[in-house]
């Protein structure tokens, strides 16, 4: 049974396009067709020994031996902090934290200081909103001077526009004209607050980090021209009025997590892009329907209704309006849903959408360590309920001297099947493989890729509990993925890797590739079942204690010493209420990859999620993002100017997404 009234179940933004449940395929749940040892919640609660034996730590005879070969175990040296519901950031004793580059921080142009009245054009020279995935690219190897590159997942319009003051807007709401149209400059500002920031940052002699005005500084936004590359580029799927030859598109949206290529470029993921599009057609084919676009005259922010009717805004209406695809934007949504490659060291480089990595709600991408002469391998999750985990294996081998993004344009995309016995296999999504033939409705490779979800349905992949970030252990090569939650999973739909119905808390899975990262067989186990002191289980099968309880794992990163950093994203509608109350505000924890011990490292302010983490090469400075602080403010409270969070500026300030700079008072390695 579901709990329809429970906090977290009803979510305005989710209902309006985030993580839409759009997998209606009859691709079997493995719980239906295999003997499932763990299919009932009663087993989890009542027969702990059976559960532990079945799901935790026993699937991987390989991992112990694998990890034992030269792997050093990390130290986790800080004292865990308690949960918090306060409007501040808390870190362990001996650590310092500096809020940095909040939304609106100027990085280029006239370096205009942020205000609510800043224009849409000003926003193109300021840090965007809703900070998410992030990487630090050192300049000349420095740990005190480098390019910070970060995604801006979405926006909260009520906190962006002077015109929103006094209106009863919830966190997805925006000002509209009486006829339903939108102010052009507000639309421009909102598009420019999306995308990616590249900004040079440097540590001063006082230990404080500052923005450096620099030629690398750059905003990539929802309007930036981008090239399409790989098998979908140049096909009929992506012909638009803007690009009749299907080679280009404009902008990247809803950039959640990221990846860093072995050739040191940045990939920004396009996650919940589908919600931005309207489409009034009565019939909507699988290229949009399977991604959650339904017949509707509304998009997430109604950009297609910008009053001036500019082409770059009208394209968010994907309705058939012209004589052919060259005359309208029926295909515009097919130019989104990809991983976007950005070269932060070359400010002139045009971003490239790499279509061979698949088209879905990409949460992020994680590369296996590149080996000379071996294929390049990248793992990516599709964050929606009952969607899949994928990996791409390049056709050409890695050669450090010549490697570039073209390696991502030829290869094979696979999707994962997790068997209940702890084995797993990668199913190729390629012409003629796994039933992906013209007779079955997949004309060619471009058709498979633009319809990645449908192809994965057909191949028989395992429907997961919302795959979020992945991480690869830099020593053992083990691959980890967070599965954040899935309250839509019902009894009878469970399987060993998604063992809980009505899964409010999520889990983390990890696996060993049995034939190397490019192979097709793996062995998996659950690393942790998140939850409260009753429902959770650590690697040893014990419930998590007060220092370790968490829910909805999302961000994930394994540092060079193998500490597993876990970040949480309990949704705004659920946090600090009901079953989520015990977890407090969203947080970050560190886990030991071998013992499975977990300790809480950081708690964030009110209303936010913690997402995005990286250190400098010396591991003595850590950057972490705080996204959507204050988002739990109700529409009524907003109208009254009664915001429930004011971080980071405090006082009566509007809350702003920002980065944290974390250091140790003794200058030591973060987490050690
Ligand atoms: Fe953008 Fe799936 O979190
Ligand atoms: Ca996320
Ligand atoms: Ca999330």
């Amino acid at each position: 049974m579901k709990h329809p009234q429970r906090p977290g179940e009803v979510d305005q933004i989710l209902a309006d396009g985030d993580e839409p449940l759009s997998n209606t395929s009859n691709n079997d749940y493995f719980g239906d067709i295999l003997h499932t040892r763990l299919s009932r919640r009663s087993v989890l609660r009542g027969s702990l020994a059976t559960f532990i034996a079945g799901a935790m730590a026993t699937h991987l005879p390989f991992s112990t031996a694998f990890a034992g070969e030269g792997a050093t175990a990390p130290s986790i040296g800080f004292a865990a902090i308690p949960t918090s519901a306060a409007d501040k950031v808390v870190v362990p004793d001996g650590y310092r934290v500096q809020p940095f580059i909040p939304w609106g921080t100027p990085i280029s142009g006239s370096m205009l200081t942020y205000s609510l009245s800043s224009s849409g054009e000003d926003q193109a020279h300021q840090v965007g909103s809703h900070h998410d995935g992030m990487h630090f690219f050192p300049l000349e190897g420095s740990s005190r001077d480098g390019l910070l590159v970060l995604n801006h997942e979405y926006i909260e319009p009520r906190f962006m526009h002077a015109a929103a003051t006094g209106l009863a807007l919830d966190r997805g709401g925006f000002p509209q004209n009486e006829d339903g149209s939108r102010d052009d400059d507000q639309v421009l500002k909102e598009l420019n607050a999306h995308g990616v920031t590249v900004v040079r940052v440097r540590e001063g002699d006082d230990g404080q980090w500052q923005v450096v005005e620099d030629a690398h500084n750059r905003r990539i936004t929802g309007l930036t021209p981008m090239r399409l590359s790989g098998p979908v580029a140049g096909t009929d799927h992506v012909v638009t009025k803007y690009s009749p030859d299907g080679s280009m598109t404009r902008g990247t949206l809803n950039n959640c997590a990221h990846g860093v290529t072995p050739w040191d470029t940045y990939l920004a993921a396009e996650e919940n892009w589908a919600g931005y599009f309207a489409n009034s057609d009565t019939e909507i084919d699988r290229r949009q329907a399977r991604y959650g676009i339904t017949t509707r005259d509304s998009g997430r922010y109604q950009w297609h209704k910008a009053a001036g009717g500019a082409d770059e805004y009208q394209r968010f209406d994907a309705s058939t309006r012209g004589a052919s695809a060259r005359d309208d934007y029926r295909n515009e949504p097919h130019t989104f849903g990809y991983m976007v490659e950005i070269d932060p060291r070359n400010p002139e480089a045009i971003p490239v959408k790499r279509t061979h990595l698949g088209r879905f709600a990409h949460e992020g991408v994680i590369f296996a360590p590149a080996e000379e002469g071996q294929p390049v391998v990248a793992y990516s999750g599709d964050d929606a309920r009952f969607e899949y985990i994928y990996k791409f294996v390049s056709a050409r081998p890695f050669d450090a001297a010549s490697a570039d993004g073209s390696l991502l344009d030829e290869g094979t995309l696979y999707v994962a099947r997790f068997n209940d016995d702890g084995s797993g296999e990668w199913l190729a999504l390629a012409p003629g493989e796994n039933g992906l033939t013209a007779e079955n409705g997949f004309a060619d490779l471009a058709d498979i890729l633009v319809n990645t979800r449908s192809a994965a349905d057909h191949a028989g992949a395992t429907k997961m509990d919302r795959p979020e970030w992945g991480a690869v252990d830099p020593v053992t090569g083990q691959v980890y993925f967070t599965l954040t939650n899935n309250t839509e999973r019902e009894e009878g739909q469970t399987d060993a890797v998604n063992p809980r119905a009505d899964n409010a808390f999520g889990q983390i899975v990890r696996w060993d590739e049995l034939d190397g990262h490019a192979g097709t067989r793996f062995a998996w186990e659950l690393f942790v079942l998140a939850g409260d002191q009753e429902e959770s289980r650590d690697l040893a099968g014990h419930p998590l204690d007060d220092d370790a309880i968490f829910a909805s794992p999302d961000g994930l990163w394994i540092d060079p010493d193998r500490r597993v950093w876990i970040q949480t994203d309990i949704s705004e509608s659920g946090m600090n209420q009901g079953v989520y109350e015990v977890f407090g505000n969203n947080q970050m924890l560190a886990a030991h990859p071998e013992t499975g011990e977990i300790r809480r490292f950081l708690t964030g302010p009110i209303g936010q999620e913690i997402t995005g983490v990286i250190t400098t090469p010396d591991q003595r400075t850590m950057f972490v993002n705080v996204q959507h602080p204050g988002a739990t403010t109700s529409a009524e409270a907003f109208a009254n100017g009664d915001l429930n969070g004011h971080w980071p500026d405090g006082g009566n300030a509007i809350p702003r997404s920002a980065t944290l700079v974390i250091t140790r008072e003794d200058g030591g390695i973060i987490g050690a």
Side-chain angles (χ1 to χ4, degrees), residues 19 132 153 256-257 271 363 383 468-469 554-555 569 609 611:
E19 285 94 32
D132 208 317
E153 187 176 20
C256 197
E271 190 192 10
E363 176 74 17
D383 179 14
E468 299 250 27
W469 291 45
D554 186 344
D569 177 20
E609 70 176 274
T611 181

Side-chain angles (χ1 to χ4, degrees), residues 393-659:
V393 178
S394 71
R396 284 186 285 127
F398 179 71
D399 166 43
S402 66
D404 65 19
S406 67
L407 279 164
L408 304 179
D409 289 341
E410 292 170 61
T412 305
L413 186 68
Y414 296 86
V415 67
R417 177 150 67 194
F418 292 79
N419 299 322
D420 277 10
D421 63 0
S423 67
E425 54 211 288
W426 290 104
L427 309 170
L429 303 180
E433 304 272 350
N434 294 301
L436 300 174
T437 61
E439 298 72 49
N440 288 330
F442 297 92
D444 54 22
L445 180 56
D447 199 25
I448 289 169
L449 292 171
V450 85
N451 291 296
T452 301
R453 282 181 170 178
S454 303
D457 295 340
H458 197 85
T462 301
K463 294 175 172 179
M464 309 297 283
D465 286 343
R466 295 187 51 197
E468 299 250 27
W469 291 45
V472 176
D473 185 312
V475 176
T476 67
Q478 278 185 330
V479 187
Y480 291 61
F481 262 80
T482 53
L483 301 166
T484 197
N485 57 56
N486 183 357
T487 51
E488 297 287 323
R489 190 177 292 275
E490 298 180 0
E491 302 286 354
Q493 295 180 329
T494 56
D495 53 38
V497 72
N498 304 284
R500 293 185 287 195
D502 190 18
N503 179 10
F505 300 136
Q507 65 266 25
I508 298 176
V509 63
R510 69 177 179 184
W511 64 85
D512 284 332
E513 294 283 349
L514 299 181
D515 304 307
H517 285 285
T520 58
R521 297 184 309 135
F522 62 94
W524 65 269
E525 68 182 2
L526 291 178
F527 180 64
V528 60
L529 275 173
D532 58 22
Q533 292 91 336
E534 181 188 359
E535 297 240 354
S536 59
R537 295 292 180 272
D538 67 12
L539 189 59
H542 301 129
L544 298 174
D545 63 20
D546 290 349
D547 290 343
I549 58 166
F550 67 97
S552 300
D554 186 344
L556 189 71
W557 182 59
I558 304 179
D559 73 24
D561 295 338
R562 303 182 60 223
R563 286 175 208 88
V564 181
W565 296 92
I566 302 165
Q567 302 177 314
T568 75
D569 177 20
I570 300 168
S571 83
E572 296 94 304
S573 59
M575 70 176 85
N576 287 303
Q577 302 174 56
V579 297
Y580 297 108
E581 188 173 4
V582 294
F583 305 105
N585 297 340
N586 279 310
Q587 54 173 299
M588 184 165 79
L589 313 96
H592 192 292
E594 291 172 13
T595 67
E597 184 198 357
I598 296 174
R599 285 189 210 172
R600 187 175 302 107
F601 177 77
L602 178 150
T603 56
I606 290 172
Q608 51 71 47
E609 70 176 274
I610 297 292
T611 181
V613 52
I614 189 67
T615 64
T616 50
D618 67 5
Q619 296 179 255
R620 285 167 164 77
T621 301
M622 174 180 271
F623 301 97
V624 170
N625 280 329
V626 175
Q627 185 188 108
H628 62 75
T632 43
T633 302
S634 70
E636 184 183 25
F638 180 78
N640 295 330
D642 181 20
L643 311 183
N644 75 352
H646 303 280
W647 190 86
D649 301 312
N652 202 34
I654 60 160
R656 295 191 283 167
S657 296
T659 302

